[in-house]
Amino acid sequence: MKKNRAGNEWFKEKEASTSTRPYRLTFWCLTHFPRWLMNGLIYLVSFYFFIFDKRCRHESIRYQKTLKAFNPSIKGATPFRQVVAFAVNIVEKIDCWTNPISLKNIHNNGDVQVLVDHLNQGKGAFVIVSHLGNSELLRSLANKNEIGVAKPIPITVLSDRDVSSNFSKAMTQISKHFYLNTINVNDITPATIERIQETISQGGLVVCAGDRLSKNKKERVLRHSFLGKEAPFSYGAYYLVDLVAAPVYFIWGFRKNSLTLSRDYEMTVVKAKSSVGGSRAGREKRMNDLLDEYVKKLEEFVQLYPCQWYNFFDFWMFPNSEANGEKK
């Protein structure tokens, strides 16, 4: 009999910080300390969490064992390095919103110009991001109107406000724009769909993560092999994308140096080839085709940036224990 791992679902994990103070302190340090000192502090804080946060350490080991079994040639990824990269990611998210990034700090790859041309024609799109790398780069650029488009682009972000609530509260205190045009994924209604469609019709972008399950409908998932093991992906996210039926782009933002707070990034944009929108009869196939494209790219980039994976839970555990062949 296997142990039921239901407690390891990402939305059941408690936030590491129990107040907004650590984030506000980080903001203060960013505005008063030089970068070299901030990097030193990041390593000290990371060491503390690595020693005392057993869950974070355990899940990092699980992920890296899976990654190295999938590709034994990967070097340089260790649990401590991953924790450091995550700490840098939290600090740079605060940095992005207090001191917006410029295009000069970003090296663009893939279909960036394709997306820019699309937006310049006044057409909207759906963007699928992940918890690999920094998904805030696009929002930071858009907030400063520096995405290379001739006019301001409206962006609506689907995010889970119930997770990392203290971080979110701190960010709203730091930047009034943090929650601007965001929708809680746990409160999707017909009115929400209309708002999303309105953003698309106005030539804007709707952004959602493709690698997290829905908290309210966690039992309904799409299955796909990821790093050699079957994993659950959000049914609702891909259903919504197909329902809205707008062009789809995958976007990733990475620090060139995973372990250092710097403003040197790689942003990759990939235009999805899979078709979306159409008859209900073909919806499941379209959703799975899109997911297949997304996962293949996710696998490609996680091997290039193995330390910038920020899903610290059992990614391969299905919410319904029976789906894993487990019994209570």
Side-chain angles (χ1 to χ4, degrees):
M1 182 180 296
K2 295 183 180 180
K3 183 180 178 180
N4 183 7
R5 297 177 291 163
N8 288 345
E9 292 169 340
W10 70 270
F11 42 76
K12 292 184 179 179
E13 301 297 348
K14 294 182 179 179
E15 190 174 3
S17 176
T18 57
S19 74
T20 64
R21 291 174 186 170
Y23 306 117
R24 289 188 282 115
L25 176 60
T26 300
F27 168 63
W28 186 89
C29 290
L30 275 169
T31 56
H32 290 81
F33 292 169
R35 293 276 166 155
W36 64 266
L37 182 54
M38 283 300 301
N39 280 316
L41 290 174
I42 285 170
Y43 271 81
L44 288 174
V45 172
S46 299
F47 182 74
Y48 172 85
F49 277 101
F50 183 75
I51 295 299
F52 294 103
D53 193 329
K54 181 179 179 181
R55 176 186 62 81
C56 180
R57 186 171 65 250
H58 177 75
E59 293 304 338
S60 178
I61 292 171
R62 185 200 306 277
Y63 149 72
Q64 294 195 20
K65 282 183 177 179
T66 303
L67 177 62
K68 290 174 182 178
F70 182 76
N71 183 356
S73 67
I74 289 178
K75 306 294 182 183
T78 67
F80 178 65
R81 284 176 171 236
Q82 189 180 352
V83 171
V84 172
F86 179 58
V88 174
N89 178 254
I90 292 176
V91 175
E92 75 178 358
K93 282 187 175 183
I94 297 173
D95 193 29
C96 281
W97 282 97
T98 56
N99 185 18
I101 294 172
S102 170
L103 275 178
K104 67 182 181 181
N105 301 117
I106 297 177
H107 304 270
N108 295 320
N109 299 310
D111 297 323
V112 172
Q113 193 58 48
V114 175
L115 177 57
V116 169
D117 291 343
H118 179 82
L119 293 172
N120 274 328
Q121 294 171 19
K123 300 176 181 178
F126 220 112
V127 172
I128 301 180
V129 296
S130 73
H131 291 80
L132 174 69
N134 184 356
S135 60
E136 296 289 335
L137 280 180
L138 179 65
R139 289 180 67 192
S140 178
L141 287 171
N143 189 46
K144 198 178 178 185
N145 195 26
E146 279 210 25
I147 56 178
V149 181
K151 61 179 182 178
I153 299 298
I155 294 184
T156 296
V157 179
L158 305 178
S159 64
D160 193 324
R161 295 187 182 181
D162 301 331
V163 177
S164 300
S165 59
N166 287 317
F167 175 77
S168 298
K169 288 176 184 177
M171 288 306 300
T172 55
Q173 295 169 9
I174 293 169
S175 173
K176 63 181 181 180
H177 298 292
F178 183 73
Y179 264 154
L180 188 65
N181 296 325
T182 63
I183 295 173
N184 192 338
V185 294
N186 298 316
D187 299 322
I188 299 294
T189 65
T192 305
I193 306 298
E194 290 182 10
R195 182 176 169 185
I196 290 172
Q197 291 173 329
E198 182 180 0
T199 299
I200 297 292
S201 66
Q202 291 175 347
L205 298 175
V206 176
V207 183
C208 75
D211 61 342
R212 289 279 174 96
L213 301 183
S214 169
K215 177 181 178 180
N216 294 334
K217 295 185 178 180
K218 59 185 183 298
E219 292 82 8
R220 195 170 190 184
V221 301
L222 295 176
R223 295 168 173 264
H224 199 288
S225 176
F226 176 64
L227 298 180
K229 294 168 59 177
E230 189 173 58
F233 289 85
S234 171
Y235 184 96
Y238 294 91
Y239 178 89
L240 185 60
V241 171
D242 189 75
L243 187 66
V244 174
V248 180
Y249 291 81
F250 308 134
I251 296 182
W252 282 273
F254 303 104
R255 287 187 310 282
K256 283 194 170 183
N257 187 331
S258 296
L259 309 180
T260 301
L261 182 65
S262 65
R263 294 205 150 203
D264 197 5
Y265 297 97
E266 293 276 357
M267 178 177 280
T268 297
V269 176
V270 178
K271 187 178 188 304
K273 297 177 182 177
S274 302
S275 63
V276 293
S279 67
R280 288 188 178 183
R283 178 163 289 156
E284 293 280 339
K285 183 181 185 307
R286 293 192 301 271
M287 290 166 58
N288 280 288
D289 287 346
L290 184 63
L291 174 63
D292 182 64
E293 261 196 274
Y294 173 79
V295 172
K296 285 178 179 176
K297 282 297 178 181
L298 190 62
E299 283 184 335
E300 176 185 332
F301 290 121
V302 81
Q303 293 174 78
L304 293 175
Y305 299 93
C307 289
Q308 294 187 45
W309 174 256
Y310 305 134
N311 284 310
F312 288 94
F313 60 96
D314 187 353
F315 193 81
W316 294 267
M317 186 201 72
F318 283 81
N320 184 345
S321 60
E322 293 179 2
N324 249 355
E326 298 174 359
K327 295 182 180 179
K328 294 183 179 180

